[in-house]
Amino acid sequence: MNSPGWVAQLVGALSCTPKVMKKYTESGHETKAIFGKQESLPCIAPLVTTVEETPQTISAEVQGHFPKWLSGSLLRIGPGKFEFGKDKYNHWFDGMALLHQFRMEKGTVTYRSKFLQSDSYKANSLHNRIVVSEFGTLALPDPCKNVFERFLSKFEMPTISDNTNVNYVQYKGDYYVSTEVNFMNKVDIETLEKTEKVDWSKFIAVNGATAHPHYDPDGTAYNMGNSYGLHGSCYNIIRVPPEKTDLGDTIHGAQVICSIASAERLKPSYYHSFGMTENYIIFIEQPLKMNLWKILTCKIQGKAISDGISWEPQCTTRFHVVNKCSGELLPGKYCSKPFVTFHQINAFEDQGCVVIDLCCQDDGRSLEIYQLQNLRKAGKELDQVYNSAATSFPRRFVLPLHVSLDAPEGENLSPLSYSSASATKQADGKIWCTYENLYPENLEGGIEFPQINYGQVSGKKYRFFYGCGFQHLVGDSLVKVDVVNKTLKVWREDGFYPAEPVFVPVPGTSEEDGGVILSVVITPNQNKSNFLLVLDAKNFEELGRAEVPVQMPYGFHGTFVPT
């Protein structure tokens, strides 16, 4: 759902119904209304407000218990500063990156946080105003310049932001914080200090990469990045080897293994993640379009980059399948009704098919919803924003890999008896894919920020995933989804908002849900403490929490690093 600053790179490259909240039991059938037309959503403005960093380690107050075997650090990132001087950011995704570290050892928990010392952060701080444009905020000309100089500044090449506030990613054993621009910032995960700024375009012909790479067991990393030009756009699949070389320990050795031409030359699709099985990469080209001409000229027009993004539901969604070993793009042309996905759940191969599970929205205008003025509303105005927001549901698609030329039209080509997802051949040879829902039929709220037991089941047939329940504009519950039985387990506490769940396995276990869930839970109530929550992943019951007496904003993604 988050894509801060992800298209600023284009400019340089081109120049060169009301919802009712419910709570579900394990069976998914029994519900309890939390609010309806008569009760408004609680205000969450403090969750998207500037906070102070906590650079010195502080001890958290543990209630219940944290397992003694749970040793390591939960690293989290998200926006934490939303103005400089009198200048204010317009969009949630624009806020300056704040790094969080929860360290667990022998049942104790400590916390600290630091603002990422990106070049954008330092330049804005130096001038005490916003001097680097972000996704939803255009940096205005220097007020100290005269009228003519300010006019000319509209034609200067904008600075590409390195405010990498979306996720922690790993390459060759090192950790970086990333968005989707061409810059990543390497971070010392012990001190939370930035150690190096890395430019993808210095190593490989792409203008950035996603903040959601995939990994093979040996550490080989795969990602996707666009390349833009006046003659068209390509989606590139990237492979980064696991070994460090004499040339350096960053992304040396990265290579493009496949390039996929955009369906529209100057209007490529936006994407935030992709799927991967043992043998294939699955890229989803969706009708959320980036108008390169509008983005190129946004500064001249006095508009933000976000104004160049549009939802075009007259287009279908397309699935591209690539052999990740050979780089070959499979000939099958898979398509479905228009939808938008920000996060894939998992993908695997079975009986000659690729099965891919995604969190899907039927309306691609959700990026507009997350303007700060919307998130900071209260009462009926906040309800109106929520009711206009698209709901994200977990769905399954099945892509048969080997479809013969004489395959019958109109018949389901999927051999999978356990899935109602279908794939039918059309007269034009395309395969029309219809999804299967992976949730109880009476689910009202959405599910996002999906996570799995990655080390054990990524790219394989699986049963469970974990996510945030969205019956507000930010996550207000944690859910465990059984994709086989289509049932839910839910953790919720009124007035608290949990962030993305992170699964940590018990050492030595072979059970898919043998482990714990970690989530940072925050509240807008200044009289209550934010805390790190630990749940038993199997029964989804609370084991303990570690309260921290500092303000925290609602964040995006993170990872657990064992010690």
Side-chain angles (χ1 to χ4, degrees):
M1 300 194 51
N2 37 292
S3 325
W6 45 265
V7 228
Q9 50 182 300
L10 293 176
V11 181
L14 285 168
S15 64
C16 23
T17 61
K19 304 176 183 178
V20 179
M21 296 187 70
K22 298 184 177 185
K23 183 171 181 178
Y24 291 84
T25 65
E26 182 177 351
S27 68
H29 297 300
E30 183 179 331
T31 62
K32 176 183 177 183
I34 303 299
F35 75 90
K37 295 180 180 179
Q38 303 303 315
E39 185 177 346
S40 293
L41 285 168
C43 178
I44 56 169
L47 308 188
V48 287
T49 301
T50 295
V51 301
E52 298 292 329
E53 63 181 2
T54 308
Q56 302 301 319
T57 300
I58 61 174
S59 295
E61 182 179 338
V62 174
Q63 299 181 10
H65 77 280
F66 278 62
K68 295 293 178 64
W69 59 264
L70 186 61
S71 180
S73 295
L74 176 66
L75 305 174
R76 294 275 304 161
I77 190 169
K81 184 174 176 61
F82 298 95
E83 67 281 315
F84 285 91
K86 296 180 180 180
D87 291 357
K88 302 180 186 299
Y89 288 114
N90 299 323
H91 203 281
W92 184 27
F93 301 167
D94 298 343
M96 293 291 100
L98 181 62
L99 310 176
H100 306 263
Q101 177 198 74
F102 290 86
R103 179 168 290 170
M104 288 146 275
E105 184 178 9
K106 298 179 180 179
T108 64
V109 181
T110 60
Y111 170 80
R112 66 173 159 181
S113 65
K114 290 184 181 180
F115 281 108
L116 176 69
Q117 296 298 303
S118 64
D119 290 346
S120 297
Y121 179 89
K122 290 189 286 188
N124 293 336
S125 298
L126 177 65
H127 294 89
N128 196 33
R129 65 183 184 87
I130 297 172
V131 298
V132 181
S133 296
E134 297 289 345
F135 169 69
T137 305
L138 177 68
L140 299 177
D142 187 346
C144 295
K145 292 182 177 181
N146 62 41
V147 173
F148 183 65
E149 288 174 324
R150 278 182 280 169
F151 173 76
L152 288 180
S153 69
K154 290 180 176 289
F155 301 92
E156 296 174 355
M157 296 308 300
T159 302
I160 300 173
S161 177
D162 64 340
N163 176 37
T164 51
N165 67 0
V166 175
N167 200 10
Y168 275 89
V169 298
Q170 190 176 15
Y171 296 104
K172 301 185 179 185
D174 295 321
Y175 287 88
Y176 301 80
V177 285
S178 174
T179 54
E180 292 159 348
V181 297
N182 55 306
F183 296 121
M184 297 188 297
N185 286 295
K186 190 175 180 180
V187 172
D188 182 329
I189 60 173
E190 296 297 321
T191 65
L192 299 185
E193 295 292 340
K194 166 190 166 183
T195 61
E196 185 179 359
K197 180 178 175 179
V198 177
D199 184 347
W200 276 97
S201 65
K202 301 295 184 185
F203 299 90
I204 193 170
V206 297
N207 302 111
T210 81
H212 292 286
H214 279 292
Y215 308 96
D216 277 340
D218 68 353
T220 300
Y222 294 84
N223 210 327
M224 292 195 63
N226 284 3
S227 57
Y228 306 109
L230 294 175
H231 300 292
S233 308
C234 286
Y235 313 107
N236 302 296
I237 297 174
I238 308 163
R239 179 191 291 135
V240 181
E243 305 89 3
K244 295 184 178 181
T245 68
D246 294 336
L247 295 175
D249 58 359
T250 55
I251 52 174
H252 286 276
Q255 59 179 315
V256 171
I257 64 171
C258 181
S259 292
I260 303 168
S262 170
E264 295 185 77
R265 286 192 314 115
L266 297 180
K267 293 177 70 176
S269 294
Y270 166 72
Y271 57 95
H272 185 68
S273 66
F274 60 98
M276 188 175 87
T277 69
E278 182 180 356
N279 296 296
Y280 300 99
I281 299 287
I282 306 95
F283 165 61
I284 299 170
E285 190 174 14
Q286 53 195 10
L288 186 59
K289 302 287 188 173
M290 301 185 294
N291 187 313
L292 301 189
W293 178 249
K294 284 187 177 181
I295 293 171
L296 174 65
T297 59
C298 64
K299 189 174 181 182
I300 298 173
Q301 298 178 60
K303 295 183 178 181
I305 292 168
S306 57
D307 290 314
I309 314 303
S310 61
W311 166 238
E312 302 188 5
Q314 72 275 13
C315 303
T316 58
T317 295
R318 303 172 64 191
F319 298 82
H320 301 276
V321 183
V322 175
N323 185 308
K324 75 179 191 184
C325 296
S326 67
E328 176 191 9
L329 176 64
L330 272 60
K333 296 181 178 180
Y334 310 94
C335 55
S336 78
K337 74 171 192 176
F339 70 86
V340 163
T341 180
F342 293 97
H343 300 107
Q344 67 91 33
I345 303 168
N346 197 13
F348 58 91
E349 301 160 39
D350 192 18
Q351 301 179 51
C353 298
V354 160
V355 180
I356 183 165
D357 297 346
L358 310 160
C359 288
C360 303
Q361 300 178 11
D362 294 323
D363 187 324
R365 291 171 292 184
S366 59
L367 292 177
E368 304 168 13
I369 296 295
Y370 287 94
Q371 295 185 36
L372 287 168
Q373 63 177 1
N374 289 331
L375 296 176
R376 292 170 177 169
K377 288 180 177 178
K380 292 182 179 180
E381 289 187 340
L382 180 60
D383 294 344
Q384 291 173 354
V385 174
Y386 173 73
N387 288 334
S388 67
T391 303
S392 183
F393 295 117
R395 294 170 176 169
R396 169 166 292 175
F397 292 86
V398 175
L399 315 177
L401 295 175
H402 310 290
V403 179
S404 63
L405 293 175
D406 59 353
E409 295 178 13
E411 292 186 13
N412 185 11
L413 302 176
S414 169
L416 305 181
S417 60
Y418 57 82
S419 177
S420 62
S422 64
T424 56
K425 185 179 178 181
Q426 298 179 302
D428 58 5
K430 293 180 180 178
I431 309 301
W432 185 261
C433 300
T434 303
Y435 60 80
E436 171 194 10
N437 289 322
L438 296 178
Y439 56 89
E441 291 183 0
N442 55 357
L443 177 66
E444 291 285 346
I447 300 175
E448 257 294 352
F449 294 140
Q451 290 287 314
I452 58 173
N453 182 344
Y454 194 93
Q456 183 181 124
V457 302
S458 176
K460 302 176 183 178
K461 200 171 183 179
Y462 74 113
R463 181 171 178 177
F464 304 112
F465 80 88
Y466 312 88
C468 284
F470 272 74
Q471 297 177 345
H472 203 303
L473 292 172
V474 296
D476 70 337
S477 63
L478 294 170
V479 296
K480 176 184 180 180
V481 181
D482 183 329
V483 300
V484 175
N485 296 324
K486 297 182 182 177
T487 57
L488 305 179
K489 293 181 185 292
V490 179
W491 180 94
R492 183 200 309 275
E493 188 165 325
D494 288 344
F496 287 85
Y497 299 86
E500 174 191 59
V502 174
F503 179 87
V504 184
V506 175
T509 185
S510 60
E511 294 182 293
E512 183 183 336
D513 58 352
V516 298
I517 293 296
L518 298 175
S519 177
V520 178
V521 183
I522 61 176
T523 177
N525 188 335
Q526 302 301 306
N527 296 320
K528 296 183 179 180
S529 293
N530 303 312
F531 57 90
L532 175 63
L533 174 71
V534 56
L535 301 177
D536 185 315
K538 186 175 294 293
N539 58 29
F540 230 53
E541 293 180 357
E542 180 172 342
L543 297 176
R545 59 179 67 185
E547 295 186 344
V548 181
V550 299
Q551 288 183 285
M552 297 180 199
Y554 197 86
F556 294 147
H557 298 289
T559 189
F560 180 79
V561 181
T563 55

